[in-house]
Amino acid sequence: MTLCVIPARGGSKGVPRKNLLDVGGKPLIVWTIEHALAVPGLDVVVSTDDEEIADVARAAGARVPWLRPEELARDTTPTEPVVRHAIEQVTAERGRPEAVMLLQATSPVRHDDTLARALAEFAETGVDSMVGVVEQPPFIWQAGDPPTAAYDVAARPRRQDLTPEARRYRETGSLYVTRTGIYEQHDNRLGGRIGMFVMHEDEGIDIDTELDVALALRLMGRSSS
């Protein structure tokens, strides 16, 4: 069994009640729930401390068999303890899952086949954990004295000529797939042999401001496949 955990805390700083924000006619979290429910075999669970979010999630078809304890719903709470709590609860209820797909509710732009492709790639490659990424332009700099570039400034590359080793990727936060043992042994969503799951460029949006909402709506209009 693969457990799909969608964390959704009631509080948010950038956009108040962000997980319930109307995006394209439905609450933001519902987009992610629907993405997950479209994949056969996923046990889709929303972990929240908020009754209203729980009601919306249940109405959308997700399971919300408990409310997250207050100590796991603070501004400073990392995601890993939230996932471990979900693993423990589901294990007691239904048995230990083999793997966990962690989905970010604030990433509403995903193509129809993205989650199924991620799970297939996870199984085919045999990695222990997988991180969703989008490709970035290679011209990345790191601050310092002097600053350093991630490319050879004496031989500026053309993007079309980049070798696989020279390409750079950004972690989207949108999805992770992890063997349950990695959470248990390393207290981390990433560990063991890590693989990258390359997502489409438009899937890298994360809702944190009203401008992000406008951009997401525009992208979703172009991302129906």
PDB file of all heavy atoms in Angstrom, residues 147-179:
ATOM      1  N   PRO A 147      31.695  35.964  -5.137  1.00  0.00           N
ATOM      2  CA  PRO A 147      30.602  35.052  -5.474  1.00  0.00           C
ATOM      3  C   PRO A 147      31.080  34.014  -6.485  1.00  0.00           C
ATOM      4  O   PRO A 147      32.017  34.253  -7.245  1.00  0.00           O
ATOM      5  CB  PRO A 147      29.537  35.969  -6.079  1.00  0.00           C
ATOM      6  CG  PRO A 147      30.301  37.158  -6.568  1.00  0.00           C
ATOM      7  CD  PRO A 147      31.454  37.331  -5.627  1.00  0.00           C
ATOM      8  N   THR A 148      30.440  32.857  -6.479  1.00  0.00           N
ATOM      9  CA  THR A 148      30.832  31.791  -7.400  1.00  0.00           C
ATOM     10  C   THR A 148      29.654  31.375  -8.263  1.00  0.00           C
ATOM     11  O   THR A 148      28.501  31.406  -7.822  1.00  0.00           O
ATOM     12  CB  THR A 148      31.344  30.560  -6.637  1.00  0.00           C
ATOM     13  OG1 THR A 148      30.349  30.142  -5.693  1.00  0.00           O
ATOM     14  CG2 THR A 148      32.628  30.891  -5.886  1.00  0.00           C
ATOM     15  N   ALA A 149      29.971  31.010  -9.488  1.00  0.00           N
ATOM     16  CA  ALA A 149      28.948  30.591 -10.442  1.00  0.00           C
ATOM     17  C   ALA A 149      28.925  29.076 -10.552  1.00  0.00           C
ATOM     18  O   ALA A 149      29.952  28.406 -10.363  1.00  0.00           O
ATOM     19  CB  ALA A 149      29.220  31.203 -11.812  1.00  0.00           C
ATOM     20  N   ALA A 150      27.747  28.538 -10.859  1.00  0.00           N
ATOM     21  CA  ALA A 150      27.597  27.098 -11.036  1.00  0.00           C
ATOM     22  C   ALA A 150      27.924  26.677 -12.469  1.00  0.00           C
ATOM     23  O   ALA A 150      27.663  25.550 -12.851  1.00  0.00           O
ATOM     24  CB  ALA A 150      26.182  26.670 -10.685  1.00  0.00           C
ATOM     25  N   TYR A 151      28.484  27.603 -13.246  1.00  0.00           N
ATOM     26  CA  TYR A 151      28.892  27.299 -14.612  1.00  0.00           C
ATOM     27  C   TYR A 151      30.235  27.974 -14.867  1.00  0.00           C
ATOM     28  O   TYR A 151      30.700  28.809 -14.074  1.00  0.00           O
ATOM     29  CB  TYR A 151      27.835  27.792 -15.610  1.00  0.00           C
ATOM     30  CG  TYR A 151      27.712  29.299 -15.669  1.00  0.00           C
ATOM     31  CD1 TYR A 151      28.380  30.037 -16.643  1.00  0.00           C
ATOM     32  CD2 TYR A 151      26.930  29.992 -14.739  1.00  0.00           C
ATOM     33  CE1 TYR A 151      28.281  31.426 -16.688  1.00  0.00           C
ATOM     34  CE2 TYR A 151      26.824  31.369 -14.771  1.00  0.00           C
ATOM     35  CZ  TYR A 151      27.503  32.081 -15.751  1.00  0.00           C
ATOM     36  OH  TYR A 151      27.417  33.450 -15.785  1.00  0.00           O
ATOM     37  N   ASP A 152      30.881  27.602 -15.942  1.00  0.00           N
ATOM     38  CA  ASP A 152      32.188  28.160 -16.296  1.00  0.00           C
ATOM     39  C   ASP A 152      31.974  29.530 -16.950  1.00  0.00           C
ATOM     40  O   ASP A 152      31.523  29.612 -18.097  1.00  0.00           O
ATOM     41  CB  ASP A 152      32.910  27.210 -17.260  1.00  0.00           C
ATOM     42  CG  ASP A 152      34.323  27.674 -17.600  1.00  0.00           C
ATOM     43  OD1 ASP A 152      34.709  28.782 -17.181  1.00  0.00           O
ATOM     44  OD2 ASP A 152      35.025  26.925 -18.300  1.00  0.00           O
ATOM     45  N   VAL A 153      32.315  30.600 -16.217  1.00  0.00           N
ATOM     46  CA  VAL A 153      32.073  31.937 -16.757  1.00  0.00           C
ATOM     47  C   VAL A 153      32.966  32.236 -17.959  1.00  0.00           C
ATOM     48  O   VAL A 153      32.682  33.149 -18.743  1.00  0.00           O
ATOM     49  CB  VAL A 153      32.278  33.011 -15.663  1.00  0.00           C
ATOM     50  CG1 VAL A 153      31.255  32.847 -14.561  1.00  0.00           C
ATOM     51  CG2 VAL A 153      33.703  32.958 -15.102  1.00  0.00           C
ATOM     52  N   ALA A 154      34.051  31.490 -18.111  1.00  0.00           N
ATOM     53  CA  ALA A 154      34.945  31.696 -19.255  1.00  0.00           C
ATOM     54  C   ALA A 154      34.440  30.994 -20.511  1.00  0.00           C
ATOM     55  O   ALA A 154      34.956  31.228 -21.611  1.00  0.00           O
ATOM     56  CB  ALA A 154      36.355  31.207 -18.925  1.00  0.00           C
ATOM     57  N   ALA A 155      33.454  30.131 -20.343  1.00  0.00           N
ATOM     58  CA  ALA A 155      32.897  29.405 -21.492  1.00  0.00           C
ATOM     59  C   ALA A 155      31.397  29.273 -21.273  1.00  0.00           C
ATOM     60  O   ALA A 155      30.881  28.178 -21.046  1.00  0.00           O
ATOM     61  CB  ALA A 155      33.552  28.043 -21.647  1.00  0.00           C
ATOM     62  N   ARG A 156      30.712  30.431 -21.334  1.00  0.00           N
ATOM     63  CA  ARG A 156      29.273  30.454 -21.059  1.00  0.00           C
ATOM     64  C   ARG A 156      28.547  29.456 -21.965  1.00  0.00           C
ATOM     65  O   ARG A 156      28.630  29.545 -23.186  1.00  0.00           O
ATOM     66  CB  ARG A 156      28.727  31.858 -21.290  1.00  0.00           C
ATOM     67  CG  ARG A 156      27.221  31.990 -21.035  1.00  0.00           C
ATOM     68  CD  ARG A 156      26.743  33.419 -21.279  1.00  0.00           C
ATOM     69  NE  ARG A 156      27.285  34.318 -20.261  1.00  0.00           N
ATOM     70  CZ  ARG A 156      26.659  34.594 -19.120  1.00  0.00           C
ATOM     71  NH1 ARG A 156      25.487  34.054 -18.862  1.00  0.00           N
ATOM     72  NH2 ARG A 156      27.199  35.408 -18.246  1.00  0.00           N
ATOM     73  N   PRO A 157      27.822  28.505 -21.372  1.00  0.00           N
ATOM     74  CA  PRO A 157      27.163  27.486 -22.190  1.00  0.00           C
ATOM     75  C   PRO A 157      25.861  27.983 -22.806  1.00  0.00           C
ATOM     76  O   PRO A 157      25.209  28.876 -22.261  1.00  0.00           O
ATOM     77  CB  PRO A 157      26.893  26.373 -21.188  1.00  0.00           C
ATOM     78  CG  PRO A 157      26.675  27.104 -19.895  1.00  0.00           C
ATOM     79  CD  PRO A 157      27.620  28.275 -19.933  1.00  0.00           C
ATOM     80  N   ARG A 158      25.510  27.392 -23.916  1.00  0.00           N
ATOM     81  CA  ARG A 158      24.174  27.588 -24.462  1.00  0.00           C
ATOM     82  C   ARG A 158      23.287  26.494 -23.869  1.00  0.00           C
ATOM     83  O   ARG A 158      23.712  25.357 -23.716  1.00  0.00           O
ATOM     84  CB  ARG A 158      24.178  27.478 -25.980  1.00  0.00           C
ATOM     85  CG  ARG A 158      25.011  28.525 -26.688  1.00  0.00           C
ATOM     86  CD  ARG A 158      24.775  28.478 -28.193  1.00  0.00           C
ATOM     87  NE  ARG A 158      24.956  27.125 -28.729  1.00  0.00           N
ATOM     88  CZ  ARG A 158      24.517  26.737 -29.934  1.00  0.00           C
ATOM     89  NH1 ARG A 158      23.853  27.600 -30.694  1.00  0.00           N
ATOM     90  NH2 ARG A 158      24.733  25.514 -30.365  1.00  0.00           N
ATOM     91  N   ARG A 159      22.065  26.878 -23.535  1.00  0.00           N
ATOM     92  CA  ARG A 159      21.192  25.921 -22.857  1.00  0.00           C
ATOM     93  C   ARG A 159      21.026  24.640 -23.657  1.00  0.00           C
ATOM     94  O   ARG A 159      21.015  23.539 -23.100  1.00  0.00           O
ATOM     95  CB  ARG A 159      19.830  26.566 -22.586  1.00  0.00           C
ATOM     96  CG  ARG A 159      18.923  25.744 -21.677  1.00  0.00           C
ATOM     97  CD  ARG A 159      17.767  26.561 -21.167  1.00  0.00           C
ATOM     98  NE  ARG A 159      16.940  25.801 -20.238  1.00  0.00           N
ATOM     99  CZ  ARG A 159      15.948  26.317 -19.530  1.00  0.00           C
ATOM    100  NH1 ARG A 159      15.659  27.597 -19.634  1.00  0.00           N
ATOM    101  NH2 ARG A 159      15.239  25.564 -18.713  1.00  0.00           N
ATOM    102  N   GLN A 160      20.925  24.751 -24.969  1.00  0.00           N
ATOM    103  CA  GLN A 160      20.705  23.567 -25.802  1.00  0.00           C
ATOM    104  C   GLN A 160      21.930  22.667 -25.872  1.00  0.00           C
ATOM    105  O   GLN A 160      21.833  21.514 -26.300  1.00  0.00           O
ATOM    106  CB  GLN A 160      20.257  23.964 -27.217  1.00  0.00           C
ATOM    107  CG  GLN A 160      21.262  24.802 -27.994  1.00  0.00           C
ATOM    108  CD  GLN A 160      20.999  26.291 -27.846  1.00  0.00           C
ATOM    109  OE1 GLN A 160      20.602  26.743 -26.779  1.00  0.00           O
ATOM    110  NE2 GLN A 160      21.187  27.037 -28.934  1.00  0.00           N
ATOM    111  N   ASP A 161      23.086  23.191 -25.438  1.00  0.00           N
ATOM    112  CA  ASP A 161      24.311  22.396 -25.485  1.00  0.00           C
ATOM    113  C   ASP A 161      24.689  21.799 -24.135  1.00  0.00           C
ATOM    114  O   ASP A 161      25.738  21.161 -24.008  1.00  0.00           O
ATOM    115  CB  ASP A 161      25.484  23.258 -25.985  1.00  0.00           C
ATOM    116  CG  ASP A 161      25.290  23.726 -27.422  1.00  0.00           C
ATOM    117  OD1 ASP A 161      24.604  23.012 -28.186  1.00  0.00           O
ATOM    118  OD2 ASP A 161      25.811  24.794 -27.773  1.00  0.00           O
ATOM    119  N   LEU A 162      23.862  21.998 -23.122  1.00  0.00           N
ATOM    120  CA  LEU A 162      24.199  21.512 -21.792  1.00  0.00           C
ATOM    121  C   LEU A 162      24.240  19.985 -21.732  1.00  0.00           C
ATOM    122  O   LEU A 162      23.365  19.303 -22.277  1.00  0.00           O
ATOM    123  CB  LEU A 162      23.172  22.009 -20.772  1.00  0.00           C
ATOM    124  CG  LEU A 162      23.197  23.499 -20.439  1.00  0.00           C
ATOM    125  CD1 LEU A 162      22.006  23.839 -19.555  1.00  0.00           C
ATOM    126  CD2 LEU A 162      24.500  23.883 -19.765  1.00  0.00           C
ATOM    127  N   THR A 163      25.243  19.464 -21.063  1.00  0.00           N
ATOM    128  CA  THR A 163      25.293  18.032 -20.796  1.00  0.00           C
ATOM    129  C   THR A 163      24.365  17.718 -19.629  1.00  0.00           C
ATOM    130  O   THR A 163      24.015  18.613 -18.846  1.00  0.00           O
ATOM    131  CB  THR A 163      26.714  17.606 -20.430  1.00  0.00           C
ATOM    132  OG1 THR A 163      27.095  18.260 -19.210  1.00  0.00           O
ATOM    133  CG2 THR A 163      27.706  17.974 -21.534  1.00  0.00           C
ATOM    134  N   PRO A 164      23.958  16.467 -19.463  1.00  0.00           N
ATOM    135  CA  PRO A 164      23.103  16.124 -18.315  1.00  0.00           C
ATOM    136  C   PRO A 164      23.717  16.543 -16.982  1.00  0.00           C
ATOM    137  O   PRO A 164      23.011  16.983 -16.074  1.00  0.00           O
ATOM    138  CB  PRO A 164      22.977  14.600 -18.429  1.00  0.00           C
ATOM    139  CG  PRO A 164      23.130  14.321 -19.890  1.00  0.00           C
ATOM    140  CD  PRO A 164      24.140  15.322 -20.381  1.00  0.00           C
ATOM    141  N   GLU A 165      25.044  16.422 -16.851  1.00  0.00           N
ATOM    142  CA  GLU A 165      25.707  16.768 -15.595  1.00  0.00           C
ATOM    143  C   GLU A 165      25.682  18.270 -15.325  1.00  0.00           C
ATOM    144  O   GLU A 165      25.781  18.703 -14.165  1.00  0.00           O
ATOM    145  CB  GLU A 165      27.160  16.277 -15.613  1.00  0.00           C
ATOM    146  CG  GLU A 165      27.332  14.764 -15.642  1.00  0.00           C
ATOM    147  CD  GLU A 165      27.037  14.159 -17.015  1.00  0.00           C
ATOM    148  OE1 GLU A 165      27.029  14.913 -18.022  1.00  0.00           O
ATOM    149  OE2 GLU A 165      26.809  12.938 -17.061  1.00  0.00           O
ATOM    150  N   ALA A 166      25.569  19.070 -16.374  1.00  0.00           N
ATOM    151  CA  ALA A 166      25.597  20.525 -16.212  1.00  0.00           C
ATOM    152  C   ALA A 166      24.213  21.119 -15.970  1.00  0.00           C
ATOM    153  O   ALA A 166      24.098  22.301 -15.634  1.00  0.00           O
ATOM    154  CB  ALA A 166      26.223  21.175 -17.444  1.00  0.00           C
ATOM    155  N   ARG A 167      23.184  20.325 -16.114  1.00  0.00           N
ATOM    156  CA  ARG A 167      21.834  20.853 -15.918  1.00  0.00           C
ATOM    157  C   ARG A 167      21.545  21.058 -14.437  1.00  0.00           C
ATOM    158  O   ARG A 167      22.039  20.328 -13.580  1.00  0.00           O
ATOM    159  CB  ARG A 167      20.799  19.924 -16.556  1.00  0.00           C
ATOM    160  CG  ARG A 167      20.918  19.862 -18.076  1.00  0.00           C
ATOM    161  CD  ARG A 167      19.834  19.011 -18.703  1.00  0.00           C
ATOM    162  NE  ARG A 167      19.972  18.989 -20.154  1.00  0.00           N
ATOM    163  CZ  ARG A 167      19.501  19.911 -20.973  1.00  0.00           C
ATOM    164  NH1 ARG A 167      18.834  20.946 -20.463  1.00  0.00           N
ATOM    165  NH2 ARG A 167      19.677  19.830 -22.267  1.00  0.00           N
ATOM    166  N   ARG A 168      20.722  22.044 -14.124  1.00  0.00           N
ATOM    167  CA  ARG A 168      20.371  22.369 -12.752  1.00  0.00           C
ATOM    168  C   ARG A 168      18.858  22.250 -12.571  1.00  0.00           C
ATOM    169  O   ARG A 168      18.087  22.540 -13.496  1.00  0.00           O
ATOM    170  CB  ARG A 168      20.826  23.792 -12.395  1.00  0.00           C
ATOM    171  CG  ARG A 168      22.340  23.968 -12.459  1.00  0.00           C
ATOM    172  CD  ARG A 168      23.027  23.211 -11.326  1.00  0.00           C
ATOM    173  NE  ARG A 168      24.474  23.376 -11.355  1.00  0.00           N
ATOM    174  CZ  ARG A 168      25.317  22.534 -11.953  1.00  0.00           C
ATOM    175  NH1 ARG A 168      24.852  21.478 -12.588  1.00  0.00           N
ATOM    176  NH2 ARG A 168      26.619  22.750 -11.903  1.00  0.00           N
ATOM    177  N   TYR A 169      18.454  21.839 -11.364  1.00  0.00           N
ATOM    178  CA  TYR A 169      17.041  21.605 -11.094  1.00  0.00           C
ATOM    179  C   TYR A 169      16.657  22.239  -9.759  1.00  0.00           C
ATOM    180  O   TYR A 169      17.465  22.315  -8.840  1.00  0.00           O
ATOM    181  CB  TYR A 169      16.732  20.104 -11.056  1.00  0.00           C
ATOM    182  CG  TYR A 169      17.016  19.412 -12.369  1.00  0.00           C
ATOM    183  CD1 TYR A 169      18.290  18.935 -12.655  1.00  0.00           C
ATOM    184  CD2 TYR A 169      16.018  19.259 -13.329  1.00  0.00           C
ATOM    185  CE1 TYR A 169      18.568  18.311 -13.866  1.00  0.00           C
ATOM    186  CE2 TYR A 169      16.286  18.636 -14.533  1.00  0.00           C
ATOM    187  CZ  TYR A 169      17.565  18.166 -14.799  1.00  0.00           C
ATOM    188  OH  TYR A 169      17.836  17.556 -16.003  1.00  0.00           O
ATOM    189  N   ARG A 170      15.410  22.665  -9.664  1.00  0.00           N
ATOM    190  CA  ARG A 170      14.876  23.249  -8.442  1.00  0.00           C
ATOM    191  C   ARG A 170      13.834  22.316  -7.833  1.00  0.00           C
ATOM    192  O   ARG A 170      12.943  21.834  -8.520  1.00  0.00           O
ATOM    193  CB  ARG A 170      14.227  24.613  -8.736  1.00  0.00           C
ATOM    194  CG  ARG A 170      13.517  25.228  -7.528  1.00  0.00           C
ATOM    195  CD  ARG A 170      12.970  26.614  -7.845  1.00  0.00           C
ATOM    196  NE  ARG A 170      11.967  26.626  -8.893  1.00  0.00           N
ATOM    197  CZ  ARG A 170      10.674  26.354  -8.704  1.00  0.00           C
ATOM    198  NH1 ARG A 170      10.222  26.033  -7.499  1.00  0.00           N
ATOM    199  NH2 ARG A 170       9.829  26.415  -9.724  1.00  0.00           N
ATOM    200  N   GLU A 171      13.955  22.073  -6.544  1.00  0.00           N
ATOM    201  CA  GLU A 171      12.971  21.281  -5.817  1.00  0.00           C
ATOM    202  C   GLU A 171      11.658  22.056  -5.763  1.00  0.00           C
ATOM    203  O   GLU A 171      11.619  23.192  -5.306  1.00  0.00           O
ATOM    204  CB  GLU A 171      13.512  21.014  -4.414  1.00  0.00           C
ATOM    205  CG  GLU A 171      12.719  20.065  -3.575  1.00  0.00           C
ATOM    206  CD  GLU A 171      13.456  19.705  -2.284  1.00  0.00           C
ATOM    207  OE1 GLU A 171      14.705  19.824  -2.239  1.00  0.00           O
ATOM    208  OE2 GLU A 171      12.765  19.306  -1.324  1.00  0.00           O
ATOM    209  N   THR A 172      10.577  21.450  -6.231  1.00  0.00           N
ATOM    210  CA  THR A 172       9.304  22.163  -6.290  1.00  0.00           C
ATOM    211  C   THR A 172       8.565  22.176  -4.960  1.00  0.00           C
ATOM    212  O   THR A 172       7.770  23.088  -4.699  1.00  0.00           O
ATOM    213  CB  THR A 172       8.362  21.538  -7.332  1.00  0.00           C
ATOM    214  OG1 THR A 172       8.006  20.217  -6.897  1.00  0.00           O
ATOM    215  CG2 THR A 172       9.021  21.472  -8.708  1.00  0.00           C
ATOM    216  N   GLY A 173       8.773  21.154  -4.141  1.00  0.00           N
ATOM    217  CA  GLY A 173       7.962  20.990  -2.935  1.00  0.00           C
ATOM    218  C   GLY A 173       6.625  20.339  -3.222  1.00  0.00           C
ATOM    219  O   GLY A 173       5.895  19.980  -2.309  1.00  0.00           O
ATOM    220  N   SER A 174       6.299  20.169  -4.501  1.00  0.00           N
ATOM    221  CA  SER A 174       4.992  19.660  -4.896  1.00  0.00           C
ATOM    222  C   SER A 174       4.792  18.205  -4.506  1.00  0.00           C
ATOM    223  O   SER A 174       3.717  17.823  -4.031  1.00  0.00           O
ATOM    224  CB  SER A 174       4.816  19.818  -6.407  1.00  0.00           C
ATOM    225  OG  SER A 174       3.601  19.247  -6.834  1.00  0.00           O
ATOM    226  N   LEU A 175       5.817  17.369  -4.718  1.00  0.00           N
ATOM    227  CA  LEU A 175       5.649  15.949  -4.404  1.00  0.00           C
ATOM    228  C   LEU A 175       6.964  15.288  -4.039  1.00  0.00           C
ATOM    229  O   LEU A 175       8.038  15.673  -4.520  1.00  0.00           O
ATOM    230  CB  LEU A 175       4.975  15.207  -5.559  1.00  0.00           C
ATOM    231  CG  LEU A 175       5.744  14.904  -6.851  1.00  0.00           C
ATOM    232  CD1 LEU A 175       6.528  13.606  -6.728  1.00  0.00           C
ATOM    233  CD2 LEU A 175       4.789  14.813  -8.022  1.00  0.00           C
ATOM    234  N   TYR A 176       6.835  14.290  -3.179  1.00  0.00           N
ATOM    235  CA  TYR A 176       7.934  13.412  -2.788  1.00  0.00           C
ATOM    236  C   TYR A 176       7.359  12.004  -2.685  1.00  0.00           C
ATOM    237  O   TYR A 176       6.202  11.832  -2.305  1.00  0.00           O
ATOM    238  CB  TYR A 176       8.507  13.807  -1.423  1.00  0.00           C
ATOM    239  CG  TYR A 176       8.976  15.236  -1.328  1.00  0.00           C
ATOM    240  CD1 TYR A 176       8.065  16.260  -1.053  1.00  0.00           C
ATOM    241  CD2 TYR A 176      10.311  15.576  -1.501  1.00  0.00           C
ATOM    242  CE1 TYR A 176       8.478  17.579  -0.961  1.00  0.00           C
ATOM    243  CE2 TYR A 176      10.736  16.900  -1.410  1.00  0.00           C
ATOM    244  CZ  TYR A 176       9.815  17.890  -1.144  1.00  0.00           C
ATOM    245  OH  TYR A 176      10.221  19.194  -1.064  1.00  0.00           O
ATOM    246  N   VAL A 177       8.172  11.015  -2.991  1.00  0.00           N
ATOM    247  CA  VAL A 177       7.787   9.628  -2.758  1.00  0.00           C
ATOM    248  C   VAL A 177       8.927   8.988  -1.966  1.00  0.00           C
ATOM    249  O   VAL A 177      10.096   9.100  -2.365  1.00  0.00           O
ATOM    250  CB  VAL A 177       7.545   8.851  -4.065  1.00  0.00           C
ATOM    251  CG1 VAL A 177       6.963   7.477  -3.745  1.00  0.00           C
ATOM    252  CG2 VAL A 177       6.609   9.616  -5.000  1.00  0.00           C
ATOM    253  N   THR A 178       8.573   8.331  -0.870  1.00  0.00           N
ATOM    254  CA  THR A 178       9.595   7.871   0.074  1.00  0.00           C
ATOM    255  C   THR A 178       9.207   6.520   0.654  1.00  0.00           C
ATOM    256  O   THR A 178       8.050   6.324   1.059  1.00  0.00           O
ATOM    257  CB  THR A 178       9.749   8.880   1.225  1.00  0.00           C
ATOM    258  OG1 THR A 178       9.913  10.194   0.694  1.00  0.00           O
ATOM    259  CG2 THR A 178      10.933   8.532   2.109  1.00  0.00           C
ATOM    260  N   ARG A 179      10.167   5.625   0.728  1.00  0.00           N
ATOM    261  CA  ARG A 179       9.911   4.374   1.429  1.00  0.00           C
ATOM    262  C   ARG A 179       9.684   4.675   2.909  1.00  0.00           C
ATOM    263  O   ARG A 179      10.367   5.510   3.505  1.00  0.00           O
ATOM    264  CB  ARG A 179      11.087   3.404   1.259  1.00  0.00           C
ATOM    265  CG  ARG A 179      11.329   2.992  -0.183  1.00  0.00           C
ATOM    266  CD  ARG A 179      12.332   1.872  -0.313  1.00  0.00           C
ATOM    267  NE  ARG A 179      12.688   1.674  -1.711  1.00  0.00           N
ATOM    268  CZ  ARG A 179      11.937   1.029  -2.611  1.00  0.00           C
ATOM    269  NH1 ARG A 179      10.785   0.492  -2.214  1.00  0.00           N
ATOM    270  NH2 ARG A 179      12.321   0.925  -3.857  1.00  0.00           N
TER     271      ARG A 179
END
